[in-house]
Amino acid sequence: MKRMLKYIIASSLILMFSGCNDWLDVQPKSEIRSDIQFETEGGFKDALIGVYLGLTEDALYAKDLTWHFVDILAQQYPLHSLSTNIGIKNYEYTSTTVMPRIENIWLKAYNAIANINNELEYLEKEKSILDPINYAIIKGELLGLRAFLHFDLIRLFGYGNIAGREEVLSKETIPYVTEYTKDITPQLTYAQTFKLMEQDLTDALALLKEDPVYDTERPEDYYHVVNSDGFYDKRSMRMNYYAVRGLMARVMLWQGKKKEALEAAVEVIEHAPYSWVSQAAVSNPTLKDRDMIFVDEHLFTLNVIKLGDLINSYLDPTINNNYELLYQSKTVADGIYEINNGVGVSDYRYMYLYDISGTNYVTAKLIQRDYYNDKYSKRIPLMKISEMYYIAAECLLNGETKDLGKAREYMNTVREKRGIIIPIPEGADEATLETEIQKEYRKEFTCEGQLFYYYKRKMISPIPGTSITLTDKNTMLPYPDVEIDFGQREQ
């Protein structure tokens, strides 16, 4: 662990980035010392953008934690027998091809957390040089990102089905790191770790009431000074107030706290500045202007400049002997979207988001072309409004918040916005609605990395379309050897 921490600290010097109006289309300029980096407000802004760029590492959200590693774990794709990713599909975590990927996910995530903690430390040291609005929003984003990263680590390396196994809460889980230090952060229990996570989220929400997207009235020139450089434009591309609230919904639902999860999801549904995609936007005959990612529905999205280089070969069925192709068969695609019973024949996701080559159905959602409109390209959605509707519906299925009629209403809203003209019928019971939610996760989150977490949270077995039974062994990624050997971690 000490060796890994030394590497993280050494590699986590914050990068200075060249200034420009689009704060997310930037390239590294040079590495500078933190005490110099944080002499000005601009230095804090540049360092924050550096954190977001760190999230676009291949091992994190540019690839493995969205459309690749975790999507393969969800059995989204059959994969060719000669694919180099068969080990991932088969949950062979200790193999020589898979374990290095797991170690890199861990390393890059904690490296990003180290950068966050470093900036948080300097925010307090140099608070006097920041405008109060800048201080609040930057700190709120950092705390939200710290919780976001730790939550995905606990979803990957920790237990699933926590709501059904209270005994898990007393076990130790991944270290929740809140300081920029070379010292080893001790493991805490799941209960203690979620408490730290919830505190970060609560603090972030309080600070992000200064966020321009937060639904409250302010003087017209409120952001005139702090946003003269456009730093607070494009809020969905940063950890904004409603992204934090959406994350709160995820975190609470993972623990089985449905009342709190419902409250968070409903606030996002009722107040976040989103608009549903239209059929005209998805089917635009001018391909460059076709909205394949439903961009105005994003609560939190990342700009990945190199996305085309990373993903295009995996989604190109015209490449001869493309053993790495991420595809579904026509039978599977038709089954997912319920074509045989007529439910999905008008579903935008089936009609427009597949690139069909023979019997191979390849999702075209994230494929990149040089001529694409910038609004619809180089983006990885990390959280969308549709998920909040699914969370709200699930929370209403049973327990103290039970309201099957409202749950049905939330589900039918999403179905209608996806072009489905056959509603879930009135009087649908809990089991029917549960099944419909599961179907929607399969339809909605291809290439986004959320399906595996859904399966794991509920320990759904067998995984739909397979005979695979989920267990702790095949859903919990093992800690890197260095964590066990030097950090004396227990999993």
Side-chain angles (χ1 to χ4, degrees):
M1 177 63 185
K2 288 181 179 178
R3 185 168 62 190
M4 180 172 283
L5 278 171
K6 286 179 180 177
Y7 177 82
I8 290 174
I9 298 299
S11 63
S12 63
L13 291 175
I14 304 296
L15 297 176
M16 169 67 88
F17 299 93
S18 55
C20 60
N21 288 331
D22 189 343
W23 284 85
L24 294 174
D25 288 330
V26 291
Q27 297 292 335
K29 184 178 180 181
S30 62
E31 292 186 1
I32 62 176
R33 294 202 329 261
S34 292
D35 57 343
I36 299 175
Q37 172 77 52
F38 298 117
E39 287 181 340
T40 65
E41 281 192 325
F44 281 96
K45 291 180 176 181
D46 291 336
L48 178 61
I49 300 306
V51 171
Y52 286 101
L53 288 175
L55 299 185
T56 66
E57 291 275 2
D58 297 9
L60 297 180
Y61 300 99
K63 183 179 181 183
D64 280 347
L65 299 191
T66 48
W67 57 269
H68 199 261
F69 195 106
V70 291
D71 243 19
I72 292 173
L73 291 180
Q75 306 301 315
Q76 288 272 58
Y77 319 107
L79 297 190
H80 193 281
S81 60
L82 295 179
S83 169
T84 59
N85 298 299
I86 285 293
I88 300 173
K89 180 179 172 59
N90 294 336
Y91 309 119
E92 296 167 353
Y93 298 139
T94 58
S95 71
T96 56
T97 58
V98 180
M99 194 62 197
R101 299 275 293 276
I102 293 173
E103 290 174 343
N104 212 27
I105 290 170
W106 181 281
L107 175 64
K108 296 299 184 182
Y110 277 110
N111 187 30
I113 291 167
N115 285 335
I116 289 168
N117 287 333
N118 185 45
E119 184 164 4
L120 284 168
E121 179 181 311
Y122 274 90
L123 266 174
E124 300 310 313
K125 286 181 181 178
E126 307 295 344
K127 184 177 179 179
S128 62
I129 70 173
L130 282 94
D131 182 283
I133 297 175
N134 283 330
Y135 169 82
I137 297 178
I138 292 172
K139 185 174 181 179
E141 288 187 40
L142 290 167
L143 290 174
L145 289 170
R146 186 165 75 183
F148 188 87
L149 284 159
H150 280 108
F151 182 55
D152 276 356
L153 286 168
I154 210 169
R155 290 201 292 181
L156 283 170
F157 293 89
Y159 287 94
N161 192 29
I162 288 179
R165 296 187 292 175
E166 291 187 7
E167 70 278 6
V168 168
L169 295 178
S170 62
K171 296 179 181 291
E172 292 184 342
T173 187
I174 57 108
Y176 200 94
V177 184
T178 59
E179 295 181 350
Y180 185 77
T181 175
K182 67 179 185 298
D183 295 332
I184 295 174
T185 299
Q187 286 180 275
L188 300 174
T189 65
Y190 281 80
Q192 292 170 317
T193 301
F194 277 115
K195 187 175 181 179
L196 288 174
M197 193 180 300
E198 290 172 24
Q199 188 61 59
D200 272 352
L201 292 171
T202 300
D203 292 345
L205 288 169
L207 291 160
L208 287 173
K209 287 184 177 179
E210 294 286 5
D211 193 332
V213 301
Y214 181 63
D215 188 11
T216 190
E217 293 199 8
R218 301 183 180 88
E220 187 175 345
D221 62 348
Y222 191 74
Y223 297 103
H224 174 69
V225 174
V226 298
N227 199 40
S228 60
D229 54 4
F231 188 66
Y232 296 118
D233 296 344
K234 301 183 180 179
R235 291 301 294 156
S236 68
M237 300 184 78
R238 302 253 290 279
M239 180 58 76
N240 60 83
Y241 177 90
Y242 294 106
V244 173
R245 200 68 173 119
L247 178 56
M248 180 75 85
R250 281 182 180 175
V251 169
M252 292 303 182
L253 188 60
W254 191 266
Q255 300 174 78
K257 297 181 178 180
K258 292 187 176 180
K259 181 176 181 294
E260 295 86 346
L262 177 63
E263 290 173 353
V266 168
E267 182 180 353
V268 178
I269 289 169
E270 294 182 350
H271 295 282
Y274 65 91
S275 58
W276 294 100
V277 73
S278 67
Q279 183 173 13
V282 182
S283 63
N284 194 318
T286 304
L287 188 59
K288 74 179 183 67
D289 294 325
R290 185 175 292 182
D291 184 1
M292 309 287 277
I293 55 173
F294 307 171
V295 67
D296 291 328
E297 298 181 14
H298 294 183
L299 300 173
F300 182 29
T301 186
L302 281 183
N303 186 48
V304 181
I305 297 171
K306 60 183 178 181
L307 185 56
D309 295 335
L310 290 175
I311 199 171
N312 280 356
S313 63
Y314 289 91
L315 303 179
D316 190 346
T318 67
I319 298 175
N320 291 331
N321 300 321
N322 187 356
Y323 301 135
E324 308 304 339
L325 185 68
L326 302 177
Y327 69 96
Q328 295 165 343
S329 68
K330 182 182 188 302
T331 300
V332 168
D334 287 355
I336 290 173
Y337 289 97
E338 303 178 89
I339 301 304
N340 293 337
N341 65 11
V343 170
V345 294
S346 57
D347 193 321
Y348 306 159
R349 296 165 297 192
Y350 181 84
M351 295 173 66
Y352 306 115
L353 299 190
Y354 276 124
D355 182 1
I356 301 172
S357 178
T359 59
N360 290 337
Y361 279 53
V362 182
T363 182
K365 181 187 292 185
L366 293 182
I367 199 163
Q368 304 294 299
R369 298 291 184 239
D370 292 339
Y371 52 80
Y372 276 9
N373 186 319
D374 286 345
K375 181 178 179 180
Y376 307 126
S377 64
K378 302 181 181 68
R379 295 199 186 193
I380 293 276
L382 301 185
M383 193 181 302
K384 298 189 308 190
I385 190 62
S386 53
E387 184 185 354
M388 297 300 108
Y389 280 78
Y390 302 152
I391 289 175
E394 183 176 340
C395 292
L396 291 167
L397 295 187
N398 48 52
E400 62 180 307
T401 58
K402 184 173 181 177
D403 185 338
L404 298 186
K406 189 65 176 177
R408 172 181 167 275
E409 180 183 323
Y410 280 131
M411 292 303 298
N412 277 337
T413 295
V414 180
R415 288 160 63 97
E416 178 188 343
K417 299 302 182 181
R418 295 294 179 256
I420 296 175
I421 60 176
I422 302 175
I424 300 170
E426 291 185 21
D429 61 15
E430 179 183 329
T432 298
L433 290 166
E434 184 76 69
T435 298
E436 294 299 334
I437 292 171
Q438 180 178 308
K439 289 178 183 177
E440 272 298 311
Y441 270 84
R442 290 190 79 193
K443 295 173 184 178
E444 183 74 6
F445 294 117
T446 303
C447 278
E448 295 181 37
Q450 296 306 314
L451 184 60
F452 173 69
Y453 298 133
Y454 173 79
Y455 288 158
K456 179 174 177 176
R457 173 170 59 81
K458 301 178 74 66
M459 281 296 181
I460 289 174
S461 293
I463 289 179
T466 77
S467 59
I468 295 171
T469 297
L470 291 182
T471 65
D472 291 337
K473 183 177 180 180
N474 63 17
T475 59
M476 293 173 67
L477 271 58
Y479 291 175
D481 289 341
V482 69
E483 287 293 316
I484 296 170
D485 295 342
F486 292 94
Q488 299 181 343
R489 305 295 188 193
E490 294 184 6
Q491 188 174 22

